[in-house]
Amino acid sequence: MQKITLFEGDGIGPEITKEVVRVIHALELPLEFEPYAIGKTSFEQTGELIPQEAINSIHRNKVALKAPVTTPIGHGFRSVNVGLRLAFDLFANIRPARSIPNVITRYDNIDLVVFRENTEDLYIGLEEQIDEDTVHAIKKITRKASTRIIRAAFEYAKENNRHLVTCVHKANILKKSDGLFLQIFNEIKQEYPDIQANDLIVDNTCMQLVMRPEQFDVLVMSNLYGDILSDLTSGLIGGLGLLPSVNKNEEYAIFEAVHGSAPDIAGKNIANPTALLLSACMMLDHLHYHQQANQIRNALMDVYANTDIRTPDLGGTATTTKFTDAIIARL
Ligand code: NAI
């Protein structure tokens, strides 16, 4: 029996987790969830944002499904998410953005994946006050971190029959730091002659993503550009509430929705479980249950394509439970 560490999260977290677990249980797979509280709920109960037993559980199981958590302001880690990424060195943040039928956006043909480096760049948080009116921030780019995220993007392209990997950078200005990232990209692409590779300056990438997003396939970039561009790509498919993600390295993987704990709608059973459910599908793929992952994705897309059952964020009146019932009925 494969065990999966489960974080039900805060706010809408427990509501959408309950429904996603219900979908997975409907498939009767040999999977067992080990639930732990982290974030606000855990802090109120134990004084810890990430209890050691939760960390131990990830060490044992290697795989976790995580709902959004509320990080209490002013305590401990900068955020629970950053804390988990650092604790497990989860260097790759992967966010696939794919159009969902009948979710009205400017485009209906989006199918791209952002690979964001998760551990360095300006996000190491090294800022120095030079004088009252001057601050320096350190942008850290290393061969080690760049190599592993770029190689992960090419490996993903190879495994998933993707044809193009695009390196996003600003090496024309940041000649040394982004220059190193681009240099490593140009080295690694030689190892993958069957996959096309190109590079684009980040500002041009933003324009191209808005004007002709269909030209992109897999995009790889350092931390800050990845943070910004992956939100941009979520806008292309209808918003953060629909976007799944994983934070992973070679050993550990934590699957999570991109959105937050939505305290404004918590407790009402109206949250949209789509992003967490698609994250759970990525988890099933990771555990080699590809057929079951596709079964859930097909049922979900069928609900969007052929019914008007929608949660209120997409203009409907369905509860989280009713929306999930419709998915389970199609499995
Ligand atoms: P948020 O994503 O929670 O909410 C933004 C807006 O989107 C709200 O109007 C909310 O109702 C709506 N929304 C989000 N997810 C939805 C869903 N599944 N269904 C329907 N509507 C949805 O962002 P916000 O308000 O900035 O953050 C709230 C809390 O979440 C904060 O404490 C923040 O720290 C935390 N957070 C946690 C994340 C995580 O654990 N991965 C990520 C982002 C924020």
Side-chain angles (χ1 to χ4, degrees):
M1 184 77 85
Q2 162 81 45
K3 291 192 175 172
I4 296 165
T5 306
L6 182 68
F7 299 125
E8 295 181 348
D10 304 307
I12 59 169
E15 299 163 45
I16 55 176
T17 305
K18 185 177 90 187
E19 302 300 342
V20 168
V21 166
R22 200 155 66 87
V23 175
I24 293 179
H25 279 156
L27 293 175
E28 297 181 346
L29 294 169
L31 302 175
E32 189 185 317
F33 289 101
E34 269 184 18
Y36 291 92
I38 52 171
K40 187 163 173 275
T41 311
S42 157
F43 191 79
E44 284 165 3
Q45 286 168 3
T46 67
E48 286 177 301
L49 281 176
I50 311 177
Q52 188 58 41
E53 54 183 22
I55 299 268
N56 294 345
S57 170
I58 300 178
H59 273 298
R60 275 195 311 276
N61 300 335
K62 319 282 187 213
V63 177
L65 182 64
K66 177 183 159 295
V69 297
T70 305
T71 300
I73 293 167
H75 296 290
F77 286 117
R78 269 186 298 172
S79 88
V80 170
N81 299 317
V82 174
L84 282 173
R85 280 173 209 167
L86 291 179
F88 289 92
D89 191 28
L90 304 172
F91 70 85
N93 179 222
I94 306 169
R95 293 181 176 187
R98 185 177 238 168
S99 296
I100 294 182
N102 289 334
V103 174
I104 307 299
T105 61
R106 285 182 175 73
Y107 303 97
D108 56 11
N109 55 351
I110 306 293
D111 184 10
L112 52 84
V113 186
V114 171
F115 274 69
R116 165 189 172 190
E117 204 288 322
N118 239 350
T119 63
E120 54 180 38
D121 196 3
L122 280 163
Y123 285 32
I124 56 171
L126 275 185
E127 296 185 306
E128 190 185 356
Q129 191 86 40
I130 303 301
D131 61 40
E132 206 181 321
D133 299 318
T134 314
V135 176
H136 288 179
I138 306 283
K139 176 176 165 101
K140 180 179 176 191
I141 300 288
T142 65
R143 175 168 285 277
K144 181 178 171 228
S146 305
T147 299
R148 60 186 185 172
I149 189 72
I150 292 166
R151 183 159 280 129
F154 276 101
E155 282 297 318
Y156 177 91
K158 192 166 115 184
E159 281 163 24
N160 293 279
N161 295 320
R162 299 275 184 168
H163 66 279
L164 171 68
V165 180
T166 303
C167 174
V168 180
H169 63 86
K170 189 77 187 173
N172 54 330
I173 303 293
L174 299 165
K175 293 182 194 307
K176 291 195 172 157
S177 51
D178 280 15
L180 177 61
F181 194 84
L182 178 59
Q183 180 196 328
I184 293 166
F185 178 82
N186 285 330
E187 288 166 15
I188 291 177
K189 74 180 184 189
Q190 312 292 340
E191 298 170 26
Y192 299 87
D194 297 334
I195 298 167
Q196 293 173 47
N198 64 6
D199 69 273
L200 267 186
I201 308 259
V202 62
D203 34 352
N204 185 17
T205 311
C206 290
M207 184 193 71
Q208 298 287 343
L209 273 169
V210 172
M211 292 193 71
R212 286 201 310 119
E214 68 282 356
Q215 69 184 286
F216 293 106
D217 196 352
V218 177
L219 300 102
V220 62
M221 60 203 83
S222 51
N223 207 339
L224 177 63
Y225 309 145
D227 195 3
I228 298 168
L229 261 66
S230 58
D231 274 24
L232 193 161
T233 60
S234 79
L236 296 174
I237 64 155
L240 287 178
L242 301 169
L243 203 72
S245 79
V246 60
N247 290 292
K248 66 181 289 199
N249 61 19
E250 297 84 357
E251 195 175 4
Y252 301 100
I254 301 182
F255 296 83
E256 63 176 334
V258 169
H259 60 75
S261 56
D264 52 337
I265 57 164
K268 297 180 180 164
N269 194 26
I270 56 168
N272 189 340
T274 297
L276 190 63
L277 187 58
L278 288 172
S279 307
C281 290
M282 289 172 74
M283 180 186 79
L284 293 180
D285 278 328
H286 176 81
L287 295 171
H288 305 292
Y289 291 114
H290 298 294
Q291 188 238 320
Q292 290 84 351
N294 284 333
Q295 207 179 334
I296 296 176
R297 277 189 283 255
N298 291 341
L300 174 69
M301 293 308 156
D302 191 46
V303 172
Y304 277 112
N306 298 313
T307 79
D308 58 3
I309 302 169
R310 302 276 186 279
T311 43
D313 55 305
L314 296 177
T317 55
T319 60
T320 314
T321 307
K322 185 175 173 207
F323 184 77
T324 311
D325 286 344
I327 297 165
I328 291 174
R330 283 165 175 77
L331 279 178

Coordinates of all heavy atoms in Angstrom, one line a residue, residues 10 12 16 40 66-73 79-81 85 95 240-242 245 247 256-266 270-276 311-314, ligand 1:
D10 N -5.8 25.0 5.3 CA -6.7 25.9 6.0 C -7.8 26.5 5.1 O -7.7 26.3 3.9 CB -5.9 27.1 6.6 CG -4.7 26.6 7.5 OD1 -5.0 25.8 8.4 OD2 -3.6 27.1 7.2
I12 N -10.5 27.1 2.6 CA -11.2 26.1 1.8 C -10.5 24.8 1.7 O -11.0 23.8 1.1 CB -11.4 26.6 0.4 CG1 -10.1 26.9 -0.3 CG2 -12.4 27.8 0.4 CD1 -10.2 27.2 -1.8
I16 N -12.0 21.2 -0.1 CA -11.6 20.7 -1.4 C -10.8 19.4 -1.3 O -11.0 18.5 -2.1 CB -10.9 21.7 -2.3 CG1 -9.6 22.3 -1.6 CG2 -11.8 22.8 -2.8 CD1 -8.8 23.2 -2.4
K40 N -1.8 27.5 9.7 CA -2.5 28.1 10.8 C -3.1 27.1 11.8 O -3.0 27.3 13.0 CB -3.6 29.0 10.1 CG -4.4 29.9 11.1 CD -5.1 31.0 10.3 CE -6.0 31.8 11.1 NZ -7.3 31.2 11.4
K66 N -1.0 18.5 -1.1 CA -1.2 19.6 -0.1 C -2.2 20.6 -0.6 O -2.1 21.1 -1.7 CB 0.2 20.3 0.0 CG 0.2 21.5 0.9 CD 1.5 22.2 0.9 CE 1.4 23.6 1.4 NZ 0.7 24.4 0.4
A67 N -3.2 20.9 0.3 CA -4.2 21.9 0.0 C -3.5 23.3 0.5 O -2.6 23.3 1.3 CB -5.4 21.6 0.8
P68 N -4.1 24.4 0.1 CA -3.5 25.7 0.5 C -3.5 25.9 2.0 O -4.5 25.5 2.7 CB -4.4 26.7 -0.2 CG -5.6 26.0 -0.7 CD -5.2 24.6 -0.8
V69 N -2.5 26.5 2.5 CA -2.5 26.8 3.9 C -2.4 28.3 4.1 O -1.9 29.1 3.3 CB -1.3 26.2 4.6 CG1 -1.4 24.7 4.6 CG2 0.0 26.6 4.0
T70 N -2.9 28.8 5.3 CA -2.7 30.2 5.7 C -1.5 30.3 6.6 O -1.4 29.5 7.6 CB -4.0 30.6 6.5 OG1 -5.1 30.4 5.7 CG2 -3.9 32.1 6.8
T71 N -0.5 31.1 6.2 CA 0.6 31.3 7.0 C 0.4 32.5 8.0 O 0.2 33.6 7.5 CB 1.9 31.6 6.2 OG1 2.1 30.5 5.3 CG2 3.1 31.8 7.1
P72 N 0.3 32.2 9.3 CA 0.0 33.3 10.2 C 1.1 34.4 10.1 O 2.3 34.0 10.0 CB 0.1 32.7 11.6 CG 0.1 31.2 11.4 CD 0.6 31.0 10.0
I73 N 0.7 35.6 10.0 CA 1.7 36.7 9.7 C 2.6 36.9 11.0 O 2.1 36.9 12.1 CB 1.0 38.0 9.4 CG1 0.3 37.8 8.0 CG2 1.9 39.2 9.3 CD1 -0.7 38.8 7.6
S79 N 7.0 31.6 4.9 CA 5.7 30.9 4.6 C 5.9 29.4 4.7 O 7.0 28.9 4.6 CB 5.1 31.3 3.3 OG 5.6 30.4 2.3
V80 N 4.8 28.7 5.0 CA 4.9 27.3 5.1 C 5.4 26.7 3.8 O 6.2 25.8 3.8 CB 3.5 26.7 5.4 CG1 3.5 25.2 5.3 CG2 3.0 27.1 6.8
N81 N 4.9 27.3 2.7 CA 5.4 26.8 1.4 C 6.9 26.9 1.2 O 7.5 26.0 0.7 CB 4.6 27.5 0.2 CG 3.1 27.3 0.4 OD1 2.7 26.1 0.6 ND2 2.3 28.3 0.2
R85 N 9.6 23.8 0.8 CA 10.5 23.8 -0.3 C 12.0 23.7 0.1 O 12.8 23.0 -0.4 CB 10.3 25.0 -1.2 CG 9.2 24.9 -2.1 CD 8.9 26.2 -2.8 NE 7.5 26.4 -3.1 CZ 6.9 27.5 -3.5 NH1 7.6 28.6 -3.7 NH2 5.6 27.5 -3.7
R95 N 4.3 23.9 -13.4 CA 2.9 24.3 -13.5 C 2.4 24.1 -14.9 O 2.7 25.0 -15.8 CB 2.8 25.8 -13.1 CG 3.1 26.0 -11.6 CD 2.9 27.5 -11.3 NE 3.1 27.8 -9.9 CZ 2.8 29.0 -9.4 NH1 2.4 30.0 -10.1 NH2 3.0 29.2 -8.1
L240 N -6.0 31.4 -11.4 CA -5.2 30.6 -10.5 C -6.0 29.4 -9.9 O -5.5 28.4 -9.6 CB -4.8 31.4 -9.2 CG -3.6 32.4 -9.5 CD1 -3.4 33.2 -8.2 CD2 -2.4 31.7 -10.0
G241 N -7.4 29.6 -9.9 CA -8.2 28.5 -9.3 C -8.2 27.2 -10.1 O -8.8 26.2 -9.6
L242 N -7.7 27.3 -11.3 CA -7.7 26.1 -12.2 C -6.4 25.5 -12.4 O -6.2 24.5 -13.1 CB -8.3 26.5 -13.5 CG -9.7 27.1 -13.5 CD1 -10.1 27.8 -14.8 CD2 -10.7 26.1 -13.1
S245 N -0.1 22.2 -9.7 CA 1.4 22.3 -9.7 C 2.0 21.2 -8.8 O 1.4 20.5 -8.1 CB 1.8 23.7 -9.1 OG 1.7 23.6 -7.7
N247 N 5.9 20.8 -6.5 CA 7.2 21.2 -6.2 C 8.0 19.9 -5.9 O 7.6 19.0 -5.1 CB 7.2 22.0 -4.9 CG 6.6 23.3 -5.1 OD1 7.2 24.2 -5.8 ND2 5.4 23.6 -4.5
E256 N 0.3 20.4 -5.3 CA -0.6 21.4 -4.7 C -1.3 22.3 -5.7 O -0.8 22.5 -6.8 CB 0.1 22.2 -3.7 CG 1.2 23.1 -4.2 CD 1.8 24.0 -3.2 OE1 1.2 24.3 -2.2 OE2 3.0 24.4 -3.4
A257 N -2.5 22.8 -5.3 CA -3.1 23.8 -6.2 C -2.3 25.1 -6.1 O -1.6 25.3 -5.1 CB -4.6 24.0 -5.7
V258 N -2.4 25.9 -7.1 CA -1.6 27.1 -7.0 C -2.3 28.2 -6.2 O -1.6 29.1 -5.6 CB -1.4 27.6 -8.5 CG1 -0.8 29.1 -8.5 CG2 -0.4 26.7 -9.2
H259 N -3.6 28.1 -6.1 CA -4.3 29.2 -5.3 C -4.1 29.1 -3.8 O -3.6 28.1 -3.3 CB -5.8 29.1 -5.7 CG -6.5 27.9 -5.3 ND1 -6.8 27.5 -4.0 CD2 -6.9 26.8 -6.1 CE1 -7.4 26.3 -4.0 NE2 -7.5 25.9 -5.3
G260 N -4.6 30.1 -3.1 CA -4.5 30.2 -1.6 C -5.7 29.6 -0.9 O -6.6 28.9 -1.5
S261 N -5.8 29.9 0.4 CA -6.8 29.2 1.2 C -8.2 29.9 1.2 O -9.1 29.5 1.8 CB -6.3 29.2 2.7 OG -6.0 30.5 3.1
A262 N -8.3 31.0 0.4 CA -9.6 31.7 0.1 C -10.4 31.8 1.3 O -11.6 31.3 1.3 CB -10.3 30.9 -1.0
P263 N -10.0 32.5 2.3 CA -10.8 32.7 3.6 C -12.1 33.3 3.3 O -13.1 33.1 4.0 CB -9.9 33.5 4.5 CG -8.8 34.1 3.7 CD -8.7 33.2 2.5
D264 N -12.2 34.1 2.2 CA -13.5 34.8 1.9 C -14.6 33.9 1.6 O -15.8 34.2 1.8 CB -13.3 35.9 0.8 CG -12.7 35.3 -0.5 OD1 -12.0 34.2 -0.4 OD2 -12.9 35.9 -1.5
I265 N -14.3 32.6 1.1 CA -15.4 31.7 0.8 C -15.3 30.4 1.6 O -16.1 29.5 1.3 CB -15.5 31.4 -0.7 CG1 -14.1 30.8 -1.2 CG2 -15.8 32.6 -1.6 CD1 -14.2 30.1 -2.5
A266 N -14.5 30.4 2.6 CA -14.3 29.1 3.4 C -15.5 28.8 4.2 O -16.3 29.7 4.6 CB -13.1 29.3 4.3
I270 N -18.4 26.0 -1.5 CA -18.6 26.5 -2.8 C -17.3 26.7 -3.6 O -17.2 27.1 -4.7 CB -19.3 27.9 -2.8 CG1 -18.6 28.9 -2.0 CG2 -20.8 27.8 -2.4 CD1 -19.0 30.3 -2.2
A271 N -16.2 26.2 -2.9 CA -14.9 26.4 -3.6 C -14.8 25.4 -4.8 O -15.4 24.3 -4.8 CB -13.8 26.1 -2.6
N272 N -14.0 25.8 -5.7 CA -13.8 25.0 -6.9 C -12.6 24.0 -6.6 O -11.5 24.4 -6.4 CB -13.4 25.9 -8.1 CG -13.4 25.2 -9.4 OD1 -13.3 23.9 -9.4 ND2 -13.5 25.9 -10.5
P273 N -12.9 22.7 -6.7 CA -11.8 21.7 -6.4 C -10.9 21.4 -7.6 O -10.0 20.6 -7.5 CB -12.6 20.5 -6.0 CG -13.9 20.6 -6.8 CD -14.2 22.0 -7.0
T274 N -11.1 22.1 -8.8 CA -10.4 21.7 -10.0 C -8.9 21.7 -9.9 O -8.2 20.7 -10.3 CB -10.8 22.6 -11.1 OG1 -12.2 22.5 -11.4 CG2 -10.1 22.3 -12.4
A275 N -8.3 22.7 -9.3 CA -6.9 22.8 -9.3 C -6.3 21.7 -8.4 O -5.2 21.1 -8.8 CB -6.4 24.2 -8.8
L276 N -6.9 21.5 -7.2 CA -6.4 20.4 -6.4 C -6.6 19.0 -7.0 O -5.7 18.2 -6.9 CB -7.0 20.5 -5.0 CG -6.3 19.6 -3.9 CD1 -4.9 20.0 -3.7 CD2 -7.1 19.6 -2.6
T311 N -19.1 25.7 -10.1 CA -19.0 26.4 -8.8 C -19.1 27.9 -9.1 O -18.9 28.3 -10.2 CB -17.7 26.0 -8.1 OG1 -16.6 26.1 -9.0 CG2 -17.8 24.6 -7.4
P312 N -19.5 28.7 -8.0 CA -19.8 30.1 -8.3 C -18.6 30.9 -8.9 O -18.9 31.9 -9.6 CB -20.1 30.6 -6.9 CG -20.6 29.4 -6.1 CD -19.8 28.2 -6.7
D313 N -17.4 30.5 -8.6 CA -16.2 31.3 -9.2 C -16.3 31.3 -10.7 O -15.8 32.2 -11.4 CB -14.9 30.7 -8.7 CG -14.8 29.2 -9.0 OD1 -15.7 28.5 -8.6 OD2 -13.8 28.8 -9.7
L314 N -17.0 30.3 -11.3 CA -17.1 30.2 -12.8 C -18.5 30.5 -13.2 O -19.0 30.1 -14.3 CB -16.7 28.9 -13.3 CG -15.2 28.6 -13.1 CD1 -14.8 27.2 -13.6 CD2 -14.3 29.6 -13.8
Ligands
NAI1 P1 -6.4 33.1 -2.7 O1 -5.9 32.4 -3.8 O2 -6.7 32.4 -1.4 O3 -7.8 33.9 -3.1 C1 -7.8 34.9 -4.1 C2 -9.3 34.9 -4.7 O4 -9.5 33.7 -5.4 C3 -10.4 34.9 -3.6 O5 -11.4 35.7 -4.0 C4 -10.8 33.5 -3.5 O6 -12.1 33.3 -3.0 C5 -10.6 33.0 -4.9 N1 -10.3 31.6 -5.0 C6 -9.1 31.0 -4.7 N2 -9.1 29.7 -4.8 C7 -10.4 29.4 -5.2 C8 -11.1 28.2 -5.4 N3 -10.5 27.0 -5.4 N4 -12.4 28.2 -5.8 C9 -13.0 29.4 -5.8 N5 -12.4 30.6 -5.6 C10 -11.1 30.6 -5.3 O7 -5.4 34.3 -2.4 P2 -5.3 35.3 -1.1 O8 -6.6 35.8 -0.7 O9 -4.2 36.3 -1.5 O10 -4.6 34.4 0.1 C11 -5.4 33.8 1.1 C12 -4.5 33.0 2.0 O11 -3.9 32.0 1.3 C13 -3.3 33.8 2.6 O12 -3.1 33.4 3.9 C14 -2.1 33.3 1.8 O13 -0.9 33.3 2.5 C15 -2.5 31.9 1.5 N6 -1.9 31.3 0.3 C16 -1.5 30.0 0.3 C17 -1.0 29.4 -0.8 C18 -0.6 28.0 -0.6 O14 -0.7 27.4 0.4 N7 -0.1 27.3 -1.7 C19 -0.8 30.1 -2.0 C20 -1.3 31.5 -2.0 C21 -1.8 32.0 -0.9

